[in-house]
Amino acid sequence: MRTRQEGKYVEITGQLSNIDSSGKYFSIGPLDDSYSLFNVMCYITEEQKATVAKFTNKQKVTVIGTITDVGEVIGYSLDVESIK
């Protein structure tokens, strides 16, 4: 079943929370330390890996891309077009 958010082109700003060890994605959460179920898995291209490798823990990150999935547990999945 497709949700209303899937396929939407969005710009999201959050705080870096994790970088996948294989370099396929990174995740961002809320900017402050408050508890939130908000989580975005940001899937990147081979060309974007060098940029992501320079990220630091809890860095503010803005991504632009298309929402590909909305999960009940994991949160949003996003195919990243660009990183600010």
Side-chain angles (χ1 to χ4, degrees), residues 44-56:
I44 59 174
T45 64
E46 191 67 34
E47 295 78 23
Q48 295 165 332
K49 284 184 179 182
T51 300
V52 174
K54 296 176 187 173
F55 285 174
T56 58

Side-chain angles (χ1 to χ4, degrees), residues 6-69:
E6 288 178 40
K8 285 191 176 183
Y9 188 73
V10 296
E11 179 174 320
I12 300 172
T13 299
Q15 181 176 350
L16 178 68
S17 61
N18 181 48
I19 299 175
D20 175 54
S21 62
S22 67
K24 293 181 181 181
Y25 68 88
F26 62 92
S27 58
I28 57 175
L31 287 174
D32 59 20
D33 289 331
S34 67
Y35 177 77
S36 173
L37 295 177
F38 164 75
N39 190 36
V40 180
M41 306 295 287
C42 302
Y43 290 89
I44 59 174
T45 64
E46 191 67 34
E47 295 78 23
Q48 295 165 332
K49 284 184 179 182
T51 300
V52 174
K54 296 176 187 173
F55 285 174
T56 58
N57 190 33
K58 297 188 177 185
Q59 174 180 331
K60 181 179 175 180
V61 180
T62 299
V63 292
I64 299 172
T66 303
I67 297 172
T68 57
D69 191 28

